[in-house]
C-alpha cells in the first residue's frame, strides 16, 4: 500500500467520524425538541391558580387617597461616556459612536397613601442588578410603595449588565462599575 492510499484512508476515517458525530449531535438535538403539548385550560394551571390567589389578597378599597393625585416624571440619560458592549442576539463588539442616547424614564404617581413608580429603560431587558439597586434605594419593601420595571427591548442598546454565563456571552462582560455609577449619579431616594 502506498503512502497516498494510507493518507487517503486516514482522511476518510476522520471524515466519517466527523460526519457521524454531526449526525449524532443533530439526532440528539432533534429528539430533545419533541415533547408533549399541555392542553390543560389556563384556569386549571398551577401558576394561574397561584396568581389569582395572590391577586385575591389585594384589596384596593383599604387604600383611600389622603390627598389629590400627584404625578411627576423624569428622564435620565444613561448613555455611558466610554465604549461598552452592545446587547443583542449574539456577542457584539463595543459601540464606537452614539446614534441615539439611551434613557431611563420614570413616572411617579402618589395619592398621599400609595406611591407607584413605572421605571422604563431603553435596554434589551431591565437589568436585574440595576433593578435590585433601584428597588433598594426607593424602598420597595415599604408596603405602600410599588415599583414596575420595564424595558423597550432594544437589541442595539447597552450590554454588560448581567453577571451570568449567558449574560456575559450575549451581553458582553459584566460591568459592575457602570451599574454602580448609574446609581450614584442618579439618586432615586425620594
Amino acid at each position: 500500500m502506498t503512502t497516498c492510499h494510507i493518507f487517503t484512508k486516514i482522511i476518510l476515517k476522520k471524515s466519517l467520524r466527523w460526519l457521524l458525530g454531526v449526525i449524532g449531535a443533530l439526532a440528539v438535538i432533534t429528539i430533545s425538541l419533541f415533547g408533549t403539548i399541555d392542553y390543560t385550560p389556563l384556569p386549571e394551571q398551577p401558576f394561574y391558580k397561584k396568581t389569582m390567589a395572590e391577586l385575591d389578597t389585594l384589596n384596593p378599597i383599604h387604600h383611600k387617597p389622603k390627598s389629590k393625585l400627584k404625578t411627576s416624571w423624569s428622564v435620565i440619560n444613561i448613555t455611558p461616556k466610554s465604549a461598552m458592549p452592545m446587547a443583542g442576539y449574539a456577542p457584539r463588539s463595543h459601540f464606537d459612536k452614539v446614534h441615539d442616547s439611551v434613557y431611563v424614564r420614570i413616572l411617579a404617581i402618589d395619592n398621599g397613601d400609595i406611591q407607584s413608580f413605572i421605571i422604563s429603560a431603553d435596554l434589551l431587558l431591565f437589568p436585574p442588578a440595576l433593578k435590585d439597586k433601584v428597588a433598594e434605594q426607593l424602598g420597595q419593601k415599604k408596603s405602600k410603595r410599588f415599583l414596575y420595571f420595564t424595558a423597550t427591548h432594544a437589541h442595539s442598546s447597552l450590554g454588560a449588565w448581567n453577571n451570568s454565563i449567558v449574560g456575559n456571552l450575549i451581553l458582553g462582560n459584566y460591568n459592575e462599575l457602570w451599574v454602580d455609577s448609574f446609581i450614584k449619579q442618579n439618586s432615586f431616594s425620594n
Side-chain angles (χ1 to χ4, degrees), residues 43-121:
E44 295 175 19
Q45 294 281 356
F47 66 87
Y48 182 87
K49 290 178 181 178
K50 180 182 176 206
T51 301
M52 295 311 288
E54 288 178 11
L55 287 174
D56 286 340
T57 64
L58 298 176
N59 192 350
I61 295 172
H62 287 113
H63 299 287
K64 297 187 180 187
K66 294 181 181 174
S67 66
K68 289 184 178 181
L69 188 65
K70 296 183 272 185
T71 62
S72 65
W73 62 273
S74 179
V75 177
I76 303 166
N77 188 336
I78 61 170
T79 308
K81 304 284 186 235
S82 59
M84 282 183 58
M86 295 172 59
Y89 297 104
R92 296 193 293 177
S93 62
H94 295 71
F95 61 84
D96 54 0
K97 62 183 174 181
V98 176
H99 184 272
D100 294 315
S101 293
V102 182
Y103 295 96
V104 168
R105 293 166 183 85
I106 302 169
L107 173 65
I109 305 168
D110 187 351
N111 70 0
D113 186 36
I114 298 174
Q115 293 177 327
S116 299
F117 298 89
I118 300 171
I119 304 165
S120 177

Side-chain angles (χ1 to χ4, degrees), residues 2-13:
T2 66
T3 309
C4 185
H5 283 83
I6 295 172
F7 185 67
T8 305
K9 197 173 185 180
I10 292 171
I11 290 177
L12 284 174
K13 280 186 178 180

Side-chain angles (χ1 to χ4, degrees), residues 19 27 33-34 48 60 67 71 80 82 104 106 108 110 113 139-140 142 144 146 161 164 166 177 181 189:
L19 182 62
L33 294 176
F34 287 101
Y48 182 87
S67 66
T71 62
S82 59
V104 168
I106 302 169
D110 187 351
D113 186 36
Q140 187 174 14
K142 294 181 181 179
K144 295 185 178 186
F146 299 98
W161 41 255
S164 67
V166 174
L177 185 64
S181 70
S189 54

Side-chain angles (χ1 to χ4, degrees), residues 5-29:
H5 283 83
I6 295 172
F7 185 67
T8 305
K9 197 173 185 180
I10 292 171
I11 290 177
L12 284 174
K13 280 186 178 180
K14 285 185 177 183
S15 298
L16 185 60
R17 282 186 199 148
W18 183 82
L19 182 62
L20 288 174
V22 169
I23 290 171
L26 288 174
V28 168
I29 290 171

